[in-house]
């Protein structure tokens, strides 16, 4: 009997549960035990229809009938309606803005509803209640569904809603595991002394407390323990990675900023102090003979490319060890084809006249600068030719998309790897580029390239300390001079006309605009959730016909062929298109300085950090930039959240705000970082993150490695699987 046994060895799993369990990635007993409730219900607080009073909130058990979709009286708000009954009576239930609910709950299925009791014309009803399907109703209303019969009254767990799995089923399955004796046979993964130091409950106790606590404070202390546990394991793993990484050898590149002065003076601008500091930090790392692993974090438009390029010059002008000819090589990986092309073009500008060859590789073809016929331009070349020149060292700089990671792409002396917008790549992709691309000769295979990761995703400090625990951090906290702060406006539906007039004025003055929509095609009417989301194609047509007939309008989205995208981007850059209607593909790094206006449709669907990045698209010149946030909802929360965009001075501030605003259980944004909801609770707590980091560092420093903690190692490996950074 083992905690990593398949769940089906211990619990009878019906066909209907299987799909739901797969969706939740619950395969083993451990997975089930680590699937935590989002909150708890108190059995003593259950109501009946007969004793409801308006203005209060209520928990009821019963069934629905007559579920239907409709439009609310006068205002045309989509809604769902139903009758709800228990043994004491029947009332009306309505859900505004959620018409699809009517389809999700079959009539006559036992449910638990929780929501606000409202009153209209003397009649009480429930509005927008949460609904959870149950396998059975409690025998008597007010009874605990989960009661141990005569035992102490416990709170009952409410798990995240999932189709096909009720909280009731999860509760009983967990209880069965508790009784099986598995817990007794499992060692606490956190060392005893650490638990004591932070007053955290032992593993077994914490599991019982989190799934069926006697009171809220037990539940809280269990959550704290598991939050700590998760961050602690991530830290262990990262600290270990860092240590191993620094043990490798790397090409020693011995350059100072003075050596790069000529190159840097070719930039059409002087560097900011921040950029200079970043270059110094990189050159310092380069000298050490151990591989750099540095994260360059800077708001959109802070000029990360120039920093990366200056370091390329240092690499390019260094000979391979013991050689008096040839150059060390650089690989520059970016997430989209448009970006790869854009960087290729910028690099040609920066390196023109230095005699350097630069390659470009994407899924739609390869290019090389300079072209034989035109020494100041590039030419298309075959993939084979490019790979050959790369492998024999004749192309010192290769820029590309995911195509860079393919096995056939081999360098001779790969010394420096740049990963742009690194959060868009999986950890495996990043490792592939760094570890497997070094030359195959046995002597140099011990050398690992220096790694520069770049990101504009502003994240809170606690999160950076956790997920980037293995990297050294440099922040570009200064914008190039002369940039005007962006004017951001939240535009409600009735204010659109005014906003469009302001935009018209700017475009007449020669500027260009982005309009960002969340969808490509017209919404599929069968998908209820997509109802109000604007589509790129539809919106482009509408703008052309009804709003801006005098301007050139183009579209750009992820489903277009790379060649089509490129030609649209070129037209936009060349000013042949005034307004580019696009999905959020333009989120990543596109540089069109003359585009100074961005309109974001359906803004409530984007995260604050994403909105901020979108907004960065138009902050690339000395013209006044404008951002119009078009919001469909008037919900107080959404609007307040969007308002933060107006005030925040930079992305980091915004990220802290987002973290502080969202309550526990609402932090699911952590998924993109490979952190669970409970782990995100730790991320809100700087003390907890620092403690976990400190403890992990001490263990790794002792040189004990993870081997002396077999239990830790196992879980750390699992954690690694989960961290995917997509
Ligand atoms: P990001 O950090 O978002 O990758 P980029 O490297 O694309 O930003 O730079 C954004 C714009 O700012 C580019 O047009 C670039 O040429 C310009 N730029 C970079 N550094 C400076 C600087 N020190 N002064 C003025 N403009 C700069
Ligand atoms: Mg960039």
């Amino acid at each position: 009997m083992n905690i990593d046994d398949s769940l089906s060895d211990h619990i009878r799993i019906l066909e209907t549960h299987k799909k739901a369990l797969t969706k939740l990635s619950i395969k083993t007993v451990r997975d089930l035990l680590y699937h935590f409730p989002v909150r708890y219900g108190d059995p003593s607080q259950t109501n009946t229809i007969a004793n409801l009073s308006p203005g209060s909130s209520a928990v009821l058990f019963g069934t629905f009938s007559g579920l239907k979709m409709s439009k609310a009286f006068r205002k045309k708000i989509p809604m769902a309606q139903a009758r709800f009954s228990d043994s004491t009576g029947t009332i009306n239930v309505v859900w505004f803005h959620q018409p699809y609910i009517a389809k999700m709950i079959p009539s006559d299925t036992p449910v638990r509803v929780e929501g606000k009791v409202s009153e209209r014309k003397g009649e009480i009803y429930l509005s927008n209640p949460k609904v959870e399907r149950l396998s059975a109703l409690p025998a008597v209303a007010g009874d605990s569904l989960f009661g141990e019969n005569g035992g102490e009254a416990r709170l009952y767990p409410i798990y995240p809603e999932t189709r096909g799995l009720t909280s009731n089923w999860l509760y009983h399955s967990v209880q069965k595991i508790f009784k099986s004796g598995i817990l007794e046979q499992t060692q606490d993964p956190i060392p005893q002394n650490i638990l004591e130091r932070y007053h955290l409950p032992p593993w077994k106790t914490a599991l019982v407390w989190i799934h069926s606590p006697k009171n809220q404070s037990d539940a809280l202390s269990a959550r704290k323990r598991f939050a700590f546990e998760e961050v602690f394991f991530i830290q262990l793993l990262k600290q270990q990675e860092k240590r191993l990484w620094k043990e490798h050898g790397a090409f020693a590149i011995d350059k100072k900023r003075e050596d790069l002065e000529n190159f840097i003076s070719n930039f059409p601008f002087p560097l900011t102090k921040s950029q200079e500091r970043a270059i110094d930090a990189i050159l310092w790392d380069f000298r050490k003979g151990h591989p750099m692993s540095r994260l360059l974090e800077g708001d959109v438009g802070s000029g990360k490319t120039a920093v990366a390029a200056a370091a390329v010059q240092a690499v390019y002008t260094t000979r391979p060890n013991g050689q008096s000819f040839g150059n060390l090589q650089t690989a520059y990986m970016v997430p989209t084809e448009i970006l790869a092309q854009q960087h290729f073009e910028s690099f040609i500008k920066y390196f023109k006249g230095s005699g350097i060859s630069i390659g470009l590789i994407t899924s739609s073809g390869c290019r090389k600068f300079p072209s034989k016929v035109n020494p100041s331009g590039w030419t298309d070349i075959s993939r084979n030719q490019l790979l050959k020149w790369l492998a024999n060292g004749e192309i010192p700089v290769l820029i590309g998309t995911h195509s860079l990671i393919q096995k056939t792409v081999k360098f001779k002396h790969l010394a420096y790897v740049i990963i742009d917008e690194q959060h868009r790549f999986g950890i495996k992709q990043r490792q592939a580029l760094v570890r497997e691309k070094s030359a195959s000769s046995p002597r140099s295979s011990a050398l690992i390239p220096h790694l520069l990761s770049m990101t504009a995703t502003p994240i809170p400090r606690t999160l950076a300390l956790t997920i980037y625990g293995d990297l050294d951090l440099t922040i570009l906290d200064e914008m190039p001079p002369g940039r005007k702060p962006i004017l951001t406006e939240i535009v409600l539906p009735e204010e659109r006309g005014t906003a469009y007039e302001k935009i018209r004025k700017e475009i007449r003055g020669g500027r260009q605009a982005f309009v960002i929509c969340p969808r490509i095609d017209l919404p599929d009417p069968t998908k209820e959730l997509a109802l109000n989301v604007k589509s790129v194609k539809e919106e482009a047509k509408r703008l052309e016909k009804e709003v801006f007939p005098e301007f050139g309008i183009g579209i750009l989205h992820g489903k277009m062929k790379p060649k089509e995208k490129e030609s649209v981007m070129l037209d936009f850059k060349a000013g042949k298109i005034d307004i580019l209607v696009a999905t959020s593909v333009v989120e990543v790094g596109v540089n069109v300085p003359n585009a100074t206006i961005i309109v974001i449709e359906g803004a409530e669907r984007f995260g604050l950090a994403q909105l901020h990045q979108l907004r960065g698209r138009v902050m690339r010149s000395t013209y006044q930039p404008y951002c119009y946030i078009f919001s469909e909802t008037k919900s107080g929360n959404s609007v307040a959240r969007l308002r933060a965009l107006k005030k925040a001075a930079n992305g980091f501030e915004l990220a802290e705000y987002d973290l502080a605003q969202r309550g526990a259980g609402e932090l699911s944004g952590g998924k993109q970082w490979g952190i669970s909801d409970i782990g995100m609770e730790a991320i809100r707590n700087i003390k907890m993150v620092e403690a976990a980091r400190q403890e992990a560092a001490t263990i790794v420093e002792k040189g004990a490695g993870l081997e002396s903690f077999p239990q830790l190692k196992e879980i750390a490996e699992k954690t690694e699987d989960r961290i995917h950074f997509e």
Side-chain angles (χ1 to χ4, degrees):
M1 231 174 12
N2 187 297
I3 178 172
D4 288 309
D5 288 349
S6 168
L7 188 60
S8 53
D9 296 351
H10 298 273
I11 305 275
R12 203 165 69 92
I13 294 172
L14 301 177
E15 224 26 67
T16 52
H17 300 145
K18 261 191 197 149
K19 224 168 123 191
L21 287 169
T22 311
K23 207 168 157 205
L24 294 171
S25 310
I26 297 179
K27 291 183 214 112
T28 64
V29 173
R30 182 199 301 276
D31 297 337
L32 176 71
L33 292 176
Y34 277 76
H35 182 64
F36 299 136
V38 276
R39 57 204 172 89
Y40 304 89
D42 186 342
S44 63
Q45 282 172 13
T46 301
N47 309 75
T48 57
I49 290 175
N51 68 16
L52 292 181
S53 55
S56 64
S57 58
V59 175
L60 297 163
F61 292 95
T63 55
F64 284 114
S65 60
L67 278 146
K68 63 173 191 228
M69 286 203 239
S70 58
K71 288 255 156 74
F73 188 65
R74 257 187 293 188
K75 284 189 195 147
K76 289 201 185 146
I77 300 168
M79 61 182 256
Q81 271 183 303
R83 303 278 290 164
F84 177 79
S85 316
D86 70 7
S87 56
T88 69
T90 301
I91 48 169
N92 282 327
V93 181
V94 293
W95 294 268
F96 296 103
H97 295 293
Q98 303 172 72
Y100 49 89
I101 283 206
K103 281 197 181 164
M104 280 168 44
I105 319 157
S107 290
D108 301 324
T109 314
V111 289
R112 173 185 183 280
V113 297
E114 179 177 353
K116 203 169 165 246
V117 184
S118 307
E119 185 179 4
R120 198 181 131 91
K121 294 189 184 155
E123 209 178 305
I124 56 168
Y125 66 100
L126 287 179
S127 60
N128 287 339
K130 286 199 182 110
V131 181
E132 197 199 346
R133 291 167 67 173
L134 303 171
S135 45
L137 286 176
V140 185
D143 248 16
S144 166
L145 244 194
F146 305 91
E148 296 281 83
N149 286 347
E152 230 165 328
R154 285 177 179 269
L155 303 176
Y156 58 89
I158 298 164
Y159 294 90
E161 278 169 53
T162 314
R163 233 182 238 228
L165 274 194
T166 61
S167 286
N168 198 7
W169 185 89
L170 286 164
Y171 170 84
H172 286 291
S173 302
V174 167
Q175 294 303 317
K176 211 167 155 201
I177 298 296
F178 283 176
K179 288 191 189 115
S180 71
I182 287 184
L183 300 198
E184 282 72 18
Q185 292 172 26
T186 310
Q187 197 197 321
D188 197 318
I190 302 183
Q192 184 69 29
N193 61 341
I194 297 183
L195 291 179
E196 281 165 12
R197 198 148 39 242
Y198 304 105
H199 310 287
L200 298 169
W203 188 68
K204 202 190 136 199
T205 312
L207 278 174
V208 173
W209 283 359
I210 202 161
H211 287 288
S212 46
K214 280 198 195 117
N215 51 50
Q216 296 286 359
S217 90
D218 282 357
L220 205 66
S221 97
R223 292 190 83 82
K224 204 170 128 196
R225 184 221 140 96
F226 288 114
F228 177 88
E229 184 177 308
E230 181 162 337
V231 172
F232 175 62
F233 290 137
I234 296 175
Q235 289 289 353
L236 261 184
L237 206 71
K238 295 284 162 192
Q239 302 280 338
Q240 177 84 347
E241 246 169 51
K242 183 170 191 169
R243 191 185 132 128
L244 293 177
W245 182 260
K246 299 275 172 194
E247 278 171 8
H248 284 107
F251 293 94
I253 296 160
D254 193 4
K255 300 278 173 192
K256 300 203 178 53
R257 187 139 51 82
E258 295 89 84
D259 302 326
L260 307 179
E261 212 108 273
N262 263 338
F263 176 79
I264 289 172
S265 65
N266 281 340
F267 287 134
F269 42 75
L271 293 177
T272 62
K273 283 273 169 309
S274 239
Q275 284 171 316
E276 284 179 353
R277 273 198 300 273
I279 292 170
D280 288 344
I282 294 169
L283 294 180
W284 171 259
D285 288 347
F286 273 0
R287 249 170 260 146
K288 289 188 205 156
H290 294 288
M292 164 173 85
S293 57
R294 190 165 284 281
L295 179 70
L296 182 60
E297 212 182 349
D299 244 345
V300 182
S302 56
K304 296 183 286 294
T305 320
V307 172
V312 170
Q313 170 71 5
V315 172
Y316 163 65
T317 51
T318 301
R319 302 279 179 224
N321 292 358
Q323 251 178 244
S324 58
F325 57 93
N327 318 86
L328 293 182
Q329 289 172 296
T330 298
Y332 194 158
M333 183 160 74
V334 301
T336 67
E337 204 153 323
I338 293 182
L339 257 188
Q341 277 155 13
Q342 192 175 292
H343 284 359
F344 182 63
E345 308 266 333
S346 316
F347 267 52
I348 291 174
K349 262 187 238 145
Y350 297 158
F351 286 92
K352 209 164 37 195
S354 69
I356 197 173
S357 292
I358 305 173
L360 173 73
I361 184 168
T362 67
S363 54
S364 52
C366 299
R367 289 175 188 173
K368 177 183 163 284
F369 167 86
S371 135
K372 258 188 214 143
V373 276
N374 172 12
S376 64
W378 52 263
T379 178
D380 286 310
I381 59 171
S382 76
R383 211 183 125 81
N384 278 342
Q385 186 61 66
L386 179 98
L387 295 183
K388 215 170 91 196
W389 281 334
L390 198 63
N392 70 19
E394 278 179 58
I395 292 188
V397 177
L398 181 64
I399 297 171
T401 54
H402 296 74
S403 304
L404 262 173
I405 325 175
Q406 286 155 1
K407 284 233 157 57
T408 46
V409 181
K410 290 230 162 62
F411 294 79
K412 189 165 173 79
H413 297 294
L414 181 60
Y416 176 33
V417 163
I418 306 163
I419 299 182
D420 200 2
E421 313 282 350
Q422 61 103 30
H423 58 282
R424 300 273 297 233
F425 295 99
I427 192 163
K428 297 246 158 64
Q429 293 169 312
R430 286 187 277 157
Q431 283 172 351
L433 189 55
V434 173
R435 298 218 173 112
E436 289 159 24
K437 291 295 164 198
S438 316
S440 48
S441 82
R443 254 189 45 227
S444 57
S445 66
L447 296 184
I448 281 205
H450 298 283
L451 170 67
L452 182 70
S453 276
M454 303 199 288
T455 182
T457 305
I459 58 171
R461 207 167 85 81
T462 44
L463 189 57
L465 282 175
T466 305
I467 59 179
Y468 302 136
D470 56 329
L471 303 174
D472 297 310
L473 196 63
T474 299
I475 293 180
L476 289 186
D477 51 7
E478 186 184 355
M479 282 303 215
R483 302 269 166 92
K484 296 206 175 58
I486 189 159
L487 290 176
T488 300
E489 258 185 58
I490 318 284
V491 182
L492 297 175
E494 63 269 23
E495 300 159 350
R496 275 173 178 261
T498 326
Y500 282 140
E501 280 322 303
K502 291 189 206 158
I503 293 168
R504 188 186 318 279
K505 220 175 114 207
E506 285 298 310
I507 300 180
R508 284 218 177 112
R511 306 284 81 74
Q512 288 164 283
F514 289 106
V515 174
I516 307 297
C517 301
R519 293 182 54 89
I520 298 169
D521 284 303
L522 253 185
D524 173 353
T526 60
K527 293 206 182 101
E528 295 93 343
L529 275 170
L531 274 180
N532 288 319
V533 185
K534 289 226 170 174
S535 78
V536 167
K537 290 178 186 165
E538 193 62 10
E539 180 65 4
K541 262 191 226 148
R542 188 185 76 86
L543 289 174
E544 202 156 23
K545 249 173 87 195
E546 299 171 18
V547 190
F548 298 120
E550 72 268 45
F551 298 137
I553 295 181
I555 62 172
L556 185 72
H557 57 73
K559 289 216 177 110
M560 282 159 66
K561 295 207 183 73
K563 280 268 182 296
E564 292 175 317
K565 278 195 228 168
E566 194 196 342
S567 100
V568 170
M569 265 332 287
L570 287 177
D571 283 352
F572 190 55
K573 264 191 173 177
K576 289 184 202 157
I577 293 173
D578 299 303
I579 301 173
L580 186 60
V581 185
T583 49
S584 50
V585 279
V586 292
E587 181 196 347
V588 174
V590 173
N591 192 12
V592 181
N594 191 50
T596 56
I597 305 150
I598 188 162
V599 173
I600 302 171
E601 291 280 356
E604 59 279 356
R605 278 164 205 275
F606 294 101
L608 283 184
Q610 200 185 5
L611 288 171
H612 178 70
Q613 268 186 304
L614 284 167
R615 176 166 80 160
R617 295 301 128 241
V618 296
M619 294 168 67
R620 302 201 160 215
S621 69
T622 45
Y623 297 116
Q624 173 62 54
Y626 300 91
C627 173
Y628 295 95
I629 308 256
F630 283 16
S631 169
E632 298 284 328
T633 76
K634 286 186 180 172
S635 125
N637 271 350
S638 294
V639 175
R641 203 176 65 96
L642 293 175
R643 288 241 158 82
L645 275 170
K646 266 180 104 146
K647 277 188 270 158
N650 61 50
F652 297 97
E653 218 173 84
L654 210 51
E656 298 287 351
Y657 172 87
D658 220 8
L659 184 65
Q661 281 303 299
R662 285 184 276 179
E666 286 180 279
L667 290 166
S668 47
K671 293 235 165 53
Q672 60 180 314
W673 314 108
I675 297 180
S676 73
D677 291 355
I678 204 156
M680 284 305 285
E681 286 173 26
I683 297 301
R684 293 161 64 92
N685 184 338
I686 181 78
K687 279 201 189 121
M688 195 186 277
V689 169
E690 273 166 359
R693 187 176 158 90
Q694 189 49 51
E695 295 296 342
T698 311
I699 290 172
V700 171
E701 257 164 43
K702 269 194 213 144
L706 304 190
E707 304 81 58
S708 33
F709 299 86
Q711 184 83 347
L712 287 180
K713 187 172 175 229
E714 192 182 301
I715 295 178
E717 273 163 8
K718 277 192 176 296
T719 314
E720 183 171 39
D721 277 350
R722 273 198 283 122
I723 299 188
H724 47 72
F725 295 95
E726 300 277 21

